[in-house]
Amino acid sequence: MLTIKSGEKTDFTFSCHHPEHSFVMEIQRNIDCMSGPCPFGEVQLQPSVLPALNRTFVWDVQAHKNIGLELRFSAPRLRQIGPGESCPDGVTHSISGRIDASAVRIGTFCSNGTVARIKVQGGVKVAMHLPWFHSRNVSGFSIANRSSIKRLCIIESVFEDEGSATLMSANYPEGFPEDELMSWQFVIPPHLRASVSFLRFNVSNCEKKEQRVEYYIPGSTTNPEVFRLEDQQPGNMAGNFNLSLQGCDQDAQNPGILRLQFQVLVQRPQNESSKTYVVDLSNERAMWVTIEPRPTRQSRVFVPGCFVCLESRTCSANLTLAPGSKHKLSFLCDNLTRLWMNAEKTISCMDPRYCLRRPQLLQVPSDLLRLPVQLHDFSWKLLVPEDRLSLALVPAQKLQQHTHEKACSTSFSYLLASASPGRDLYFGSFCPGGAIEQIQVKENVSVTLRTFSPSFQREAPGQGLAVSFVPHFREEGVFTVTPDTKNKVYLRTPNWDRGLPALASVSWNISVPSDQVASLTFFKERSGVVCQTGRAFLIIKEQRTRAEEIFSLEEEALPKPSFRHHSFWLNISNCSPASGKQLDLLFWVTLTPRTMDLTVVIIAGVGGGALLLFSLGLIICFVKKKKKKGSKGPPVGIYNGNVNTQMPRPVGKFQKARKDNDSHVYAVIDDTMVYGHLLQDSGSFLQPEVDTYRPFQGHMGDCPPSPPPVCSRAPTAKLTAGEPAPCLPPESEDEPYTFSHPSTGEGHQGDTGSPLLGTQEPVEPAE
């Protein structure tokens, strides 16, 4: 170590080839401004000829505590850096002040910034570090005398164009001195706008006074404007402004730490900054709107800020609008596509008498559609009392379910998911342009409208869902589907990626027009589910014939492609599946015209006419012969009531069946009662009353099929119309008549007749 004092002349050399790796040099100069005049003006680097070592020049200026000293920095101006940061060129300035006998660090600065002046009260110490390879020969700043500034320091930041500056409180990241005042002055060109945002801050525990920040803003009628550190800070400010940080008297036992790091962003005003938008939530009680930045990748280059301002002054990158008030918004942003909007509204019904079957429209309010930022999500949380009410959703346009085979390509979709706590059930994503007319859900549900392009603003008038509170039902969801003849309808079970929840049941009510035939196809041959407890079923039930087909999804293959001539239900009921063996099914429905072969029609018509003529001749001859011979034989057409022709059906539907009374028993059926309908157009005699079988033609699609009870682990066979369902009592509502030849014994129990109407398998429509 070698020390050279003022007034001395010393010669020295180094014994090593690279002294810059082993030695540093500090040049310290004390400037006394207390006993005499201060040497104001530009500060020189002296001595001027020094070895190429890492050098630190220190200027310690001592002044009276009521004297304010000004450090003025010429180009390039300074940029403040935080702890652990370094300067690209290696040149740093460390500036400190004094409070009584204690040193206070004002900050550490690099070149190429906005800090033009620093005013310090009661003396200042400046240390400039130069690396050994830097050939700089000027200090770059000057000292001037000023009157008392009555605070610790003032930092002046000058902007000439768009840019940003990050600044910190004294002693950062340690605590700001107790009960002190520090200020920043910002010089902003009149054609630019400035916004302040606090990056990091902590507050101390105050015993007296209150810690706060104060703004002097041009044109403000309430200067100074006082804010807490927790508040949103002002933005969209035109012209110069001041910001001050005021400490408090801290608690001696638990003082805490007051510190602040903030950013000032200066940019050109956009067209939207002069416009004011109104969002009226005064009539809302459970609706929140949030405007925030889109997720983007960080960039090192300067990016202008994007702020939303409340009442044109309180600006921030994130803003949440609460219900019950009217909000006036403006935007300070170079590109409004960097922002998006999310909203949430809760609709609940706790009193079924008030809201049962009273529809409410789920539609985006017009105030939000008029904002210049894109709506990302609008979520409606629909709440119902448990086991008392369910929900029915009817879209303004029929919906399509999003699948990999047919993806949605519209500007928005509806996402349906359970909103009950602990319930992991996602019904799917749905968009306009499909075949789903209604979606019914059993419990609380969240409906989220998600947009994918700005064109939603134009298409928004066509969107909307009407929600109704309906009586409670058992299925997790019921989908009403009306396919058209042009498109294939793809449908899949909820929770596609995770599997249908355990013991959940979902139904599809699929309509088939009278002139069409529906083709039902499943994507795979087997479901792949493995049940840990219970059983999983697939039930297909035609609503006109009420014939049910039941398949065990764990043990049987899925149905082959089949044709359905009438509207039908499709129900999928899950068991408690084993881990990794979940239930997820994809199927599709297509419609084709119901046609017949012309040749078959002609042959059937010719054959039917010939048969009719032959029957008429035979009957006339038979009647004439009977009139001659008289009636000698026993009566024909005796009804046999002992034949079991009952279809399976639920118990208790009718208290008294037809078999329990005699209203359907004929002792004798005359020939004219049997064959008279063939002569009804001949005019030879009056038309008799004929008791014939007439199938039910009414609506049968009110309720989806219910899965059969679990009786055993035996395989479940496909049921036909003549077999009773396992563990179900016999039905008692459809009894076909059976005609047979008379027997000699009154107690005859045999069945020698044939059904009047035979069962017929569905045939594939002719191409």
Side-chain angles (χ1 to χ4, degrees):
M1 177 181 288
L2 175 63
T3 301
I4 306 172
K5 296 182 179 181
S6 180
E8 295 181 352
K9 181 178 180 180
T10 304
D11 295 329
F12 58 89
T13 59
F14 297 99
S15 60
C16 54
H17 294 289
H18 299 284
E20 67 275 7
H21 296 161
S22 305
F23 295 92
V24 295
M25 177 179 288
E26 181 178 293
I27 302 96
Q28 180 170 343
R29 182 181 181 186
N30 296 325
I31 302 175
D32 185 4
C33 291
M34 300 184 67
S35 57
C38 291
F40 298 131
E42 186 176 354
V43 176
Q44 303 296 324
L45 291 184
Q46 293 176 341
S48 58
V49 180
L50 294 173
L53 301 177
N54 290 340
R55 292 153 287 165
T56 301
F57 291 88
V58 179
W59 296 272
D60 190 353
V61 184
Q62 299 177 0
H64 195 272
K65 63 179 182 180
N66 294 328
I67 298 297
L69 298 174
E70 177 185 297
L71 306 178
R72 187 183 297 240
F73 299 90
S74 59
R77 300 186 178 110
L78 301 184
R79 174 176 60 89
Q80 189 170 6
I81 61 175
E85 295 184 70
S86 59
C87 300
D89 59 358
V91 180
T92 60
H93 295 77
S94 297
I95 301 174
S96 302
R98 288 190 183 91
I99 299 178
D100 298 329
S102 301
V104 179
R105 186 174 66 256
I106 304 299
T108 302
F109 302 83
C110 299
S111 301
N112 298 323
T114 62
V115 176
R117 291 190 297 174
I118 298 178
K119 304 173 186 178
V120 185
Q121 178 91 15
V124 65
K125 185 176 182 179
V126 181
M128 183 176 70
H129 174 76
L130 293 177
W132 64 271
F133 53 84
H134 208 288
S135 59
R136 182 169 179 168
N137 55 9
V138 293
S139 64
F141 70 95
S142 60
I143 300 176
N145 187 11
R146 287 291 183 269
S147 60
S148 174
I149 58 176
K150 298 181 181 180
R151 62 201 67 204
L152 173 63
C153 66
I154 300 174
I155 298 177
E156 182 183 79
S157 181
V158 178
F159 288 84
E160 295 179 352
D161 203 346
E162 291 184 309
S164 64
T166 300
L167 298 162
M168 285 149 270
S169 58
N171 275 350
Y172 190 89
E174 285 78 30
F176 186 69
E178 183 179 9
D179 194 24
E180 280 294 332
L181 176 63
M182 178 180 181
S183 297
W184 292 265
Q185 294 179 341
F186 297 96
V187 179
I188 311 295
H191 66 283
L192 300 179
R193 299 291 184 268
S195 300
V196 177
S197 57
F198 286 0
L199 304 179
R200 298 178 185 86
F201 66 88
N202 292 85
V203 295
S204 57
N205 298 316
C206 296
E207 193 174 65
K208 295 180 181 179
K209 301 181 182 179
E210 184 180 0
Q211 54 201 355
R212 62 190 184 274
V213 290
E214 297 179 353
Y215 290 86
Y216 281 86
I217 302 172
S220 175
T221 58
T222 58
N223 280 328
E225 295 189 14
V226 180
F227 292 82
R228 298 178 304 169
L229 277 73
E230 298 88 350
D231 294 338
Q232 291 183 348
Q233 304 305 308
N236 199 20
M237 294 178 287
N240 305 336
F241 70 97
N242 297 348
L243 167 61
S244 298
L245 174 64
Q246 174 68 64
C248 63
D249 292 334
Q250 299 174 351
D251 185 353
Q253 301 298 325
N254 183 22
I257 295 178
L258 173 61
R259 58 187 172 191
L260 172 63
Q261 182 185 43
F262 66 97
Q263 183 186 62
V264 177
L265 186 64
V266 176
Q267 61 192 59
R268 289 182 175 85
Q270 305 300 313
N271 294 332
E272 293 295 338
S273 62
S274 60
K275 296 181 181 179
T276 301
Y277 299 88
V278 177
V279 177
D280 189 359
L281 303 181
S282 55
N283 295 326
E284 299 290 346
R285 294 295 176 265
M287 177 176 170
W288 286 263
V289 179
T290 301
I291 301 175
E292 58 189 356
R294 293 173 181 263
T296 56
R297 301 173 64 180
Q298 298 294 330
S299 175
R300 293 181 175 268
V301 300
F302 168 71
V303 178
C306 200
F307 299 106
V308 54
C309 303
L310 193 61
E311 301 294 340
S312 301
R313 181 54 55 82
T314 304
C315 301
S316 64
N318 299 272
L319 181 63
T320 298
L321 307 180
S325 300
K326 182 181 292 187
H327 307 275
K328 294 182 179 180
L329 307 180
S330 60
F331 295 89
L332 182 64
C333 186
D334 65 322
N335 183 3
L336 286 173
T337 60
R338 294 167 55 191
L339 295 175
W340 64 17
M341 175 172 45
N342 296 288
E344 180 178 328
K345 182 176 181 178
T346 300
I347 299 176
S348 59
C349 174
M350 296 297 108
D351 187 357
R353 295 173 300 176
Y354 174 75
C355 53
L356 187 63
R357 299 193 183 281
R358 293 188 179 182
Q360 298 189 43
L361 187 60
L362 306 186
Q363 197 165 28
V364 180
S366 57
D367 284 358
L368 300 186
L369 296 176
R370 283 192 289 265
L371 293 178
V373 296
Q374 181 183 342
L375 175 67
H376 176 236
D377 278 355
F378 196 114
S379 297
W380 292 272
K381 195 173 183 180
L382 309 177
L383 306 179
V384 294
E386 186 176 2
D387 297 333
R388 298 183 66 187
L389 290 180
S390 294
L391 294 160
L393 300 169
V394 179
Q397 305 176 46
K398 290 196 294 184
L399 300 178
Q400 167 199 332
Q401 186 171 12
H402 175 83
T403 62
H404 295 297
E405 290 71 20
K406 189 174 183 180
C408 288
S409 58
T410 54
S411 63
F412 69 96
S413 289
Y414 292 103
L415 282 65
L416 268 65
S418 173
S420 299
R423 196 82 169 113
D424 182 21
L425 178 59
Y426 176 65
F427 289 97
S429 175
F430 304 88
C431 59
I436 300 175
E437 288 188 336
Q438 180 176 262
I439 302 175
Q440 296 172 270
V441 291
K442 179 175 71 173
E443 298 174 335
N444 302 337
V445 68
S446 174
V447 180
T448 300
L449 185 149
R450 175 164 295 173
T451 67
F452 304 102
S453 70
S455 62
F456 169 74
Q457 305 289 90
R458 300 188 302 270
E459 300 174 9
Q463 60 83 26
L465 281 175
V467 57
S468 300
F469 298 91
V470 298
H472 183 73
F473 52 84
R474 293 186 304 168
E475 281 79 12
E476 300 296 333
V478 178
F479 298 84
T480 301
V481 184
T482 303
D484 57 40
T485 58
K486 298 179 181 180
N487 299 312
K488 184 183 295 185
V489 180
Y490 287 91
L491 300 166
R492 66 185 186 188
T493 52
N495 271 26
W496 175 255
D497 296 329
R498 303 181 300 276
L500 193 66
L503 306 180
S505 177
V506 185
S507 293
W508 289 264
N509 182 2
I510 302 174
S511 298
V512 181
S514 58
D515 60 342
Q516 300 288 319
V517 175
S519 172
L520 174 64
T521 306
F522 287 86
F523 176 71
K524 50 188 178 181
E525 294 183 359
R526 290 189 171 271
S527 67
V529 66
V530 175
C531 294
Q532 190 172 3
T533 58
R535 303 186 70 179
F537 289 99
L538 165 67
I539 303 176
I540 304 175
K541 176 181 177 181
E542 289 206 7
Q543 299 175 21
R544 184 173 178 181
T545 63
R546 295 196 176 185
E548 285 191 357
E549 301 173 58
I550 304 177
F551 303 86
S552 173
L553 294 177
E554 185 181 15
E555 298 164 352
E556 296 183 63
L558 291 172
K560 298 293 184 182
S562 58
F563 292 94
R564 307 287 162 180
H565 294 73
H566 308 290
S567 300
F568 63 95
W569 284 99
L570 191 149
N571 173 268
I572 296 174
S573 301
N574 199 12
C575 57
S576 292
S579 178
K581 300 295 182 181
Q582 302 298 320
L583 176 60
D584 48 11
L585 294 180
L586 170 68
F587 58 95
W588 56 88
V589 178
T590 55
L591 295 182
T592 55
R594 185 186 299 230
T595 60
M596 294 183 64
D597 190 4
L598 183 61
T599 304
V600 175
V601 173
I602 295 174
I603 295 175
V606 174
L611 180 61
L612 177 60
L613 294 176
F614 176 77
S615 301
L616 287 175
L618 182 62
I619 292 172
I620 293 172
C621 294
F622 181 77
V623 170
K624 289 183 178 180
K625 184 177 181 180
K626 180 180 179 181
K627 287 182 178 180
K628 293 179 180 180
K629 293 185 178 181
S631 177
K632 297 181 179 181
V636 297
I638 302 300
Y639 171 68
N640 183 0
N642 297 319
V643 179
N644 182 15
T645 60
Q646 301 177 34
M647 297 286 289
R649 89 204 74 181
V651 174
K653 203 164 208 181
F654 296 96
Q655 297 297 326
K656 186 174 182 181
R658 294 190 62 185
K659 68 179 182 179
D660 299 326
N661 57 50
D662 298 331
S663 63
H664 61 292
V665 176
Y666 294 87
V668 176
I669 299 179
D670 190 72
D671 297 346
T672 57
M673 295 183 65
V674 179
Y675 305 105
H677 64 284
L678 298 176
L679 301 173
Q680 57 185 351
D681 297 327
S682 64
S684 59
F685 53 85
L686 296 177
Q687 179 180 349
E689 294 182 1
V690 182
D691 194 350
T692 59
Y693 176 80
R694 301 180 183 275
F696 179 69
Q697 302 294 332
H699 180 64
M700 289 184 167
D702 293 336
C703 300
S706 298
V710 180
C711 304
S712 68
R713 296 290 296 167
T716 303
K718 184 174 179 181
L719 298 184
T720 63
E723 296 178 19
C727 298
L728 291 179
E731 297 186 355
S732 60
E733 54 179 318
D734 295 326
E735 296 185 1
Y737 291 100
T738 302
F739 291 85
S740 63
H741 295 285
S743 60
T744 55
E746 294 181 357
H748 177 67
Q749 302 294 327
D751 182 9
T752 59
S754 59
L756 180 64
L757 296 177
T759 59
Q760 182 178 2
E761 292 293 329
V763 295
E764 181 177 343
E767 296 295 335

